């Protein structure tokens, strides 16, 4: 039997994430979001990076909406820039960009040196080292590589897709929390 590699593992995980009924996905989204909110309450971060979800990712928009109501918390989302991204304040309207990812208008970008306290990252899977396997663009890895500090990091996934093999590289990011069902 041949050893699994990152690309094959990614394809396997992506196929696993395609088959949820709408009701099941909504239930899983709510459960995972509730757990993320509990972690936020424990750590009390002031600057949080979330993401605008794709269809197969945990829908964290309810968290974004809840946190935006709080005056002491700033909510950021990724804005793709080159092969990585910069955190920008979450503002409406959102526009569809590269990879069909929605982003706020670039004019909301003000400061590239934001010290984020907590980052929520969608994953496709993890390996035995608990490193992230994403969609393959490496944007989160490049972003984390630019940081001079280590924010609290939460991985999210609708259902755990993990291999006992090591398919990641040392530059692939690890999380403090992995929240899935």
């Amino acid at each position: 039997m041949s050893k699994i590699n990152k690309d094959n593992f990614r394809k396997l995980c992506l196929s696993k994430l395609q088959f949820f009924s709408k009701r099941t996905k909504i239930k899983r989204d709510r459960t995972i979001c509730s757990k993320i909110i509990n972690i936020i309450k424990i750590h009390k971060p002031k600057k949080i990076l979330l993401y605008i979800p794709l269809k197969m990712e945990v829908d964290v928009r309810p968290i974004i909406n809840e946190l935006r109501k709080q005056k002491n918390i700033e909510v950021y989302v990724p804005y793709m820039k080159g092969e990585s991204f910069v955190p920008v304040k979450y503002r409406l309207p959102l526009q569809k960009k590269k990879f069909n990812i929605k982003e706020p208008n670039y004019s909301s970008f003000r400061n590239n040196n934001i010290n984020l306290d907590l980052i929520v990252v969608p994953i496709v899977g993890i390996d035995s080292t608990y490193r992230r396997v994403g969609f393959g663009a490496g944007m989160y890895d490049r972003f984390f590589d630019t940081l001079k500090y280590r924010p609290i990091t939460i991985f999210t996934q609708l259902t755990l897709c993990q291999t006992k093999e090591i398919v990641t590289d040392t530059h692939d990011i690890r999380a403090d929390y992995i929240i899935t069902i």
Side-chain angles (χ1 to χ4, degrees):
M1 186 172 164
S2 64
K3 188 175 179 177
I4 189 167
N5 66 30
K6 190 189 264 188
D7 288 334
N8 291 338
F9 178 63
R10 180 181 292 115
K11 287 176 189 171
L12 175 76
C13 292
L14 287 171
S15 69
K16 187 177 175 181
L17 292 170
Q18 297 291 328
F19 301 105
F20 287 106
S21 70
K22 190 173 184 177
R23 178 180 288 187
T24 300
K25 183 171 182 324
I26 289 169
K27 188 175 180 181
R28 286 173 181 253
D29 286 339
R30 285 183 182 153
T31 301
I32 293 168
C33 284
S34 176
K35 292 177 182 182
I36 294 169
I37 289 292
N38 287 337
I39 292 170
I40 290 170
K41 287 177 181 176
I42 290 168
H43 291 283
K44 298 176 179 47
K46 301 294 180 208
K47 295 180 182 181
I48 301 172
L49 179 86
L50 289 129
Y51 57 89
I52 309 298
L54 297 173
K55 196 173 190 175
M56 68 183 69
E57 295 174 334
V58 175
D59 187 352
V60 295
R61 290 175 299 177
I63 297 172
I64 291 171
N65 294 334
E66 184 177 327
L67 295 176
R68 288 184 71 212
K69 295 174 190 172
Q70 298 182 27
K71 301 225 183 289
N72 62 336
I73 294 178
E74 294 178 16
V75 178
Y76 295 86
V77 293
Y79 182 91
M80 286 180 271
K81 191 173 179 186
E83 292 187 335
S84 185
F85 65 82
V86 293
V88 296
K89 278 199 175 180
Y90 180 87
R91 288 196 174 87
L92 297 174
L94 301 175
Q95 302 167 348
K96 250 188 196 176
K97 299 288 184 126
K98 192 176 178 183
F99 307 118
N100 282 329
I101 295 173
K102 292 181 179 180
E103 299 176 334
N105 188 327
Y106 188 67
S107 66
S108 64
F109 170 68
R110 296 280 184 259
N111 181 0
N112 198 13
N113 296 322
I114 299 162
N115 284 330
L116 298 163
D117 302 309
L118 186 139
I119 300 178
V120 180
V121 181
I123 64 171
V124 171
I126 57 173
D127 69 6
S128 61
T129 66
Y130 298 99
R131 286 191 170 91
R132 176 181 185 264
V133 174
F135 285 93
M139 292 174 26
Y140 278 96
D141 299 315
R142 286 185 196 93
F143 173 73
F144 271 78
D145 196 43
T146 67
L147 300 178
K148 294 177 175 53
Y149 61 98
R150 176 91 167 61
I152 298 162
T153 306
I154 302 171
F155 286 167
T156 64
Q157 187 175 38
L158 289 168
T159 187
L160 184 62
C161 191
Q162 183 177 11
T163 179
K164 293 180 180 175
E165 305 270 343
I166 297 175
V167 297
T168 56
D169 302 304
T170 55
H171 67 268
D172 290 318
I173 61 174
R174 283 191 177 137
D176 299 295
Y177 299 93
I178 300 168
I179 303 178
T180 185
I181 295 178

